[in-house]
Amino acid sequence: MHFSKNMSNVYLCLMQPVKEIIDQNLFTAENLVTLLSAKGEDGLYILKKAGELKLKTVGNKVYFRGLIELSNVCEKDCLYCGIRRSNIAVERYNLTDEEVLGAACFAFEERYGSIVIQSGEVTNEPFVARIERLIKNIKALSDNKLGITLSLGEQTEEVYRRWFIAGAHRYLLRIESSNPELYRKLHPDDGHHLYEKRLASLKIMKKAGFQAGTGIMIGTPYQTMEDLANDLLFFRDFDVDMVGMGPFIEHDDTPFKNPLPESLSLPERFNLSLKMVAILRLMMPDINIAATTALQAIDPLGREKAVKAGANIIMPNITPGKYRNNYLLYNNKPCTNEEPEQCGGCLDARLSLADSEIGYGEWGDSEHFKKKAKGKS
Ligand code: SAM
């Protein structure tokens, strides 16, 4: 057999398995592990192909979702999360209605197109009614123009319906892990953290009419490459419209404050997160994928790198500055000493690095969802 010394041939030869998987869409669990484990040129090839496919399918626009962290009061006790119920070091807060509407106004005036209202999980009727009222008020103040995504945890079918009818149209609920066994290791066994309930909530939220978003953390304790491969397959099989996933980062006041001996380092989690974004883009070319803030906590240009690798959504934080230090999900969360006005501008400058254009004033709904809706009508 003749081996050419030509470098590009050597490159092609090395690339073969990864290239074959991508070119022929051979996304089995086993092949996904191969992609996730790819290093060097192979790894770069995955990121490059995903970036190219993104431009061909959803284009070079990045859509903003102004993130309002409504409250850190939480009924849940997730072992990884800085605002878990048992963390008594956190000063609990609730934005006033005026503050929420002020933030929404800011997003509207800055032509962000959409907002996300996120908070710890609360399930009582006053909370549900308050959200319903806020959604209606935000719709009214923006002449129906501001898109609203909710990220308010597990709720009943009736609650999802009420919020959808009030005017919100996208919902984010991370499955955290599609492996029930791993899910159980990441959450306390107290009857309030059931994988089955999480999955059922995702289903009923979709049934209520929401564009469905989910996601996971990358590099949690006990997680394997096989878990991540199966998470990717879960996103595809659940037919999600949007995904937000990023590195798991320890928080000092949680049971997971110390990495396990076998845990990936933060740079490894970062690189794996970029690869997850890229592979998902290759598997689901027309969904919305967020470049999450946790990426920026590890690498200042993390979100821009994710945009290059296939992400098309960014969530600038527009929570009033004085509350941000109390919504620390993990150590070193970025932009906690900024006010909303400082955020958009810095993103604008950074995104230009990634050759992207911002879809100002647009909802930037998932093309995947739009196609499904068209098929139904
Ligand atoms: N309560 C809502 C829910 O459960 O969906 C939304 C708020 S929750 C804090 C938002 C997300 O933060 C979670 O789904 C989780 O994936 C992420 N998160 C929590 N702790 C984290 C950590 N230590 N590192 C990275 N992400 C984390």
Side-chain angles (χ1 to χ4, degrees):
M1 194 192 286
H2 173 73
F3 286 100
S4 164
K5 288 221 169 106
N6 178 316
M7 272 315 283
S8 62
N9 281 351
V10 172
Y11 178 75
L12 272 180
C13 179
L14 287 174
M15 297 294 296
Q16 208 53 41
V18 162
K19 191 171 182 302
E20 226 170 81
I21 295 168
I22 293 175
D23 291 351
Q24 297 176 32
N25 286 331
L26 303 173
F27 299 121
T28 60
E30 198 179 34
N31 285 343
L32 289 170
V33 171
T34 302
L35 296 186
L36 289 167
S37 316
K39 298 255 165 3
E41 295 292 348
D42 275 357
L44 292 176
Y45 182 78
I46 298 169
L47 302 187
K48 182 169 155 275
K49 287 304 269 189
E52 286 169 5
L53 185 63
K54 181 188 87 164
L55 294 180
K56 271 196 222 140
T57 51
V58 293
N60 76 334
K61 274 197 188 165
V62 170
Y63 300 98
F64 275 0
R65 316 293 189 220
L67 175 65
I68 304 173
E69 293 160 337
L70 177 89
S71 169
N72 63 359
V73 176
C74 193
E75 294 168 2
K76 290 288 185 79
D77 218 10
C78 309
L79 301 176
Y80 45 81
C81 184
I83 61 166
R84 65 196 299 265
R85 190 184 64 223
S86 298
N87 184 4
I88 50 166
V90 176
E91 194 185 321
R92 303 288 164 173
Y93 75 84
N94 239 310
L95 260 60
T96 63
D97 284 5
E98 290 66 35
E99 285 167 330
V100 177
L101 298 178
C105 254
F106 172 82
F108 184 53
E109 281 161 8
E110 295 292 315
R111 303 183 57 239
Y112 276 13
S114 295
I115 54 164
V116 178
I117 304 177
Q118 185 176 90
S119 87
E121 201 164 294
V122 178
T123 52
N124 58 44
E125 174 55 29
F127 178 80
V128 172
R130 180 180 182 218
I131 297 295
E132 196 173 25
R133 199 175 58 240
L134 283 169
I135 296 168
K136 287 182 185 160
N137 288 342
I138 291 166
K139 283 297 188 186
L141 73 80
S142 67
D143 196 18
N144 267 329
K145 291 200 173 78
L146 210 47
I148 303 179
T149 305
L150 300 178
S151 174
L152 304 169
E154 294 164 21
Q155 304 286 343
T156 64
E157 185 163 355
E158 193 220 328
V159 169
Y160 286 138
R161 275 191 204 291
R162 279 171 65 182
W163 290 346
F164 184 75
I165 290 166
H169 75 293
R170 295 181 289 237
Y171 205 102
L172 296 173
L173 183 72
R174 288 187 177 182
I175 189 75
E176 313 297 0
S177 169
S178 62
N179 174 353
E181 211 174 298
L182 176 57
Y183 189 91
R184 276 190 283 278
K185 288 184 183 159
L186 301 178
H187 299 93
D189 181 16
D190 61 0
H192 298 298
H193 299 78
L194 299 174
Y195 174 81
E196 294 70 22
K197 172 124 191 279
R198 196 85 181 162
L199 184 59
S201 302
L202 264 174
K203 287 181 185 162
I204 52 178
M205 162 257 278
K206 207 179 190 185
K207 199 166 141 221
F210 283 107
Q211 292 178 37
T214 191
I216 51 142
M217 292 170 290
I218 294 145
T220 65
Y222 316 113
Q223 185 182 56
T224 65
M225 288 292 185
E226 286 72 24
D227 288 324
L228 290 173
N230 286 323
D231 289 335
L232 290 167
L233 293 173
F234 171 83
F235 299 150
R236 189 190 64 187
D237 298 344
F238 196 79
D239 202 20
V240 292
D241 304 302
M242 343 179 265
V243 170
M245 55 186 170
F248 161 71
I249 302 172
E250 286 77 8
H251 186 291
D252 285 341
D253 299 320
T254 66
F256 286 170
K257 63 181 174 195
N258 297 317
L260 300 176
E262 65 272 24
S263 289
L264 298 177
S265 67
L266 287 181
E268 283 170 330
R269 290 179 216 173
F270 178 85
N271 289 330
L272 195 52
S273 300
L274 283 190
K275 237 187 278 166
M276 284 287 286
V277 165
I279 298 168
L280 182 62
R281 175 59 70 198
L282 294 168
M283 293 171 73
M284 302 188 76
D286 57 0
I287 63 167
N288 278 348
I289 304 179
T292 55
T293 312
L295 288 162
Q296 197 192 348
I298 299 180
D299 179 333
L301 288 177
R303 286 183 297 184
E304 291 75 0
K305 289 181 183 173
V307 166
K308 261 200 155 143
N312 66 332
I313 302 291
I314 293 238
M315 293 156 63
N317 197 336
I318 56 168
T319 309
K322 66 176 176 182
Y323 296 107
R324 293 193 190 184
N325 266 322
N326 292 318
Y327 202 86
L328 299 181
L329 310 179
Y330 44 81
N331 296 338
N332 301 324
K333 188 164 171 247
C335 302
T336 49
N337 53 1
E338 281 180 358
E339 286 294 336
E341 309 76 58
Q342 296 165 294
C343 248
C346 94
L347 278 168
D348 233 350
R350 288 175 182 183
L351 282 175
S352 61
L353 288 173
D355 304 324
S356 299
E357 186 192 334
I358 294 164
Y360 278 113
E362 295 178 56
W363 280 9
D365 277 339
S366 150
E367 291 298 325
H368 189 72
F369 182 84
K370 285 191 215 163
K371 278 184 209 157
K372 280 192 288 187
K374 231 183 191 172
K376 276 186 204 149
S377 62

